[in-house]
């Protein structure tokens, strides 16, 4: 195995934003949805771009809902967001060992950077691909291919790490190796069904996989 580049999803993979996301969806749906949504139903919205999720609620008010969601999300961001255990120390070690690290997220870049800075990891990544940087979001391979282009990296030497099916499928579609994270809010069994090459019990497992 000759992995030199590691790409990461952000929310639910490196930083725990799950409760913030659920709270922001709950707030937004409370204003715009015609019926209440249970927590289990809101979990289905985690991962895809906001536009895709809100199109299912009311296509005529998608932009209003996105604005409401983002306002709540930003105003409450620092009260919720933390890095998952072993993430910062593992990424620091990989960075110092010479691995190229990148972020591939369905968030807009400014919001992604806010979470990275808050958790002290923004300096560790050589590229951040946000929603506005691509035409097609994950699971389309475009975001990963764009990151590889910016890093001058090969798919065959890259590992994509994520907490949701679209991360694993995007890696498969782009020709990279893939790793799921067992702490995904969707459940380990759900993510395992998409056949990632590896399943991480904690982020520091990457050091064992890579031999560093």
């Amino acid at each position: 195995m000759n992995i030199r580049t590691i790409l990461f999803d952000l929310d639910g993979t490196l930083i725990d934003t799950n409760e913030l996301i659920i709270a922001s969806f709950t707030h937004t749906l409370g204003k715009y949805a015609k019926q209440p949504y249970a927590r289990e139903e809101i979990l289905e919205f985690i991962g895809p771009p906001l536009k895709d999720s809100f199109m299912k609620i009311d296509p005529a008010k998608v932009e209003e809902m996105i604005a409401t969601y983002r306002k709540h999300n930003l105003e409450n961001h620092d009260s919720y967001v933390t890095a998952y255990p072993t993430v910062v120390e593992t990424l620091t070690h990989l960075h110092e060992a010479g691995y190229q690290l990148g972020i591939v997220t369905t968030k807009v870049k400014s919001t992604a950077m806010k979470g990275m800075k808050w958790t002290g990891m923004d300096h560790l990544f050589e590229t951040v691909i946000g929603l506005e940087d691509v035409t097609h979001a994950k699971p389309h391979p475009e975001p990963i291919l764009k990151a590889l282009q910016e890093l001058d990296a090969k798919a065959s030497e890259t590992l994509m790490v994520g907490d949701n099916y679209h991360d694993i499928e995007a890696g498969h579609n782009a020709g990279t190796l893939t790793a799921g994270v067992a702490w995904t809010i969707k459940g380990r069994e759900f993510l395992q069904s998409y056949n990632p090459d590896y399943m991480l019990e904690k982020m520091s497992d990457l050091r064992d996989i890579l031999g560093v």
Side-chain angles (χ1 to χ4, degrees), residues 39 42 96 111 137 167 179 182 196:
R39 180 185 176 91
I42 291 175
E96 292 173 349
T111 307
D167 302 310

Side-chain angles (χ1 to χ4, degrees), residues 175-194:
T176 72
L177 292 170
T178 57
V181 298
W183 54 91
T184 170
I185 197 169
K186 296 293 184 71
R188 179 195 176 116
E189 294 75 17
F190 171 83
L191 197 56
Q192 191 74 61
S193 71
Y194 288 88

Side-chain angles (χ1 to χ4, degrees), residues 33 44 55 57 75 103-104 117 126 189 191 194 206:
E44 297 298 316
M55 280 292 291
I57 307 302
E75 289 176 350
I103 293 289
V104 179
K117 289 178 180 178
E126 295 179 45
E189 294 75 17
L191 197 56
Y194 288 88
L206 277 178

Side-chain angles (χ1 to χ4, degrees), residues 51-70:
K51 183 176 181 179
D52 293 354
S53 296
F54 288 136
M55 280 292 291
K56 299 175 182 178
I57 307 302
D58 187 346
K61 295 185 177 179
V62 168
E63 295 305 321
E64 286 182 51
M65 286 188 278
I66 290 175
T68 298
Y69 175 97
R70 286 181 175 159

Side-chain angles (χ1 to χ4, degrees), residues 1-7 100 141-161 168-179 197-198 210:
M1 183 173 59
N2 187 32
I3 293 175
R4 298 308 310 161
T5 302
I6 311 169
L7 303 177
Q100 294 190 110
E142 183 188 353
I144 292 178
L145 295 177
K146 186 174 180 66
L148 296 180
Q149 182 179 25
E150 291 195 359
L151 295 171
D152 192 24
K154 298 178 181 178
S156 60
E157 297 177 354
T158 299
L159 178 67
M160 175 67 205
V161 183
I168 307 304
E169 288 193 340
H172 290 160
N173 292 335
T176 72
L177 292 170
T178 57
D197 296 288
Y198 304 97
L210 299 168

Side-chain angles (χ1 to χ4, degrees), residues 105-139:
T105 177
T106 55
K107 296 179 90 165
V108 294
K109 188 179 293 185
S110 60
T111 307
M113 292 300 300
K114 182 179 178 69
M116 292 159 63
K117 289 178 180 178
W118 176 249
T119 51
M121 64 178 80
D122 55 303
H123 64 291
L124 299 173
F125 300 96
E126 295 179 45
T127 187
V128 178
I129 303 300
L131 182 63
E132 70 270 42
D133 295 319
V134 296
T135 303
H136 306 285
K138 298 176 292 186

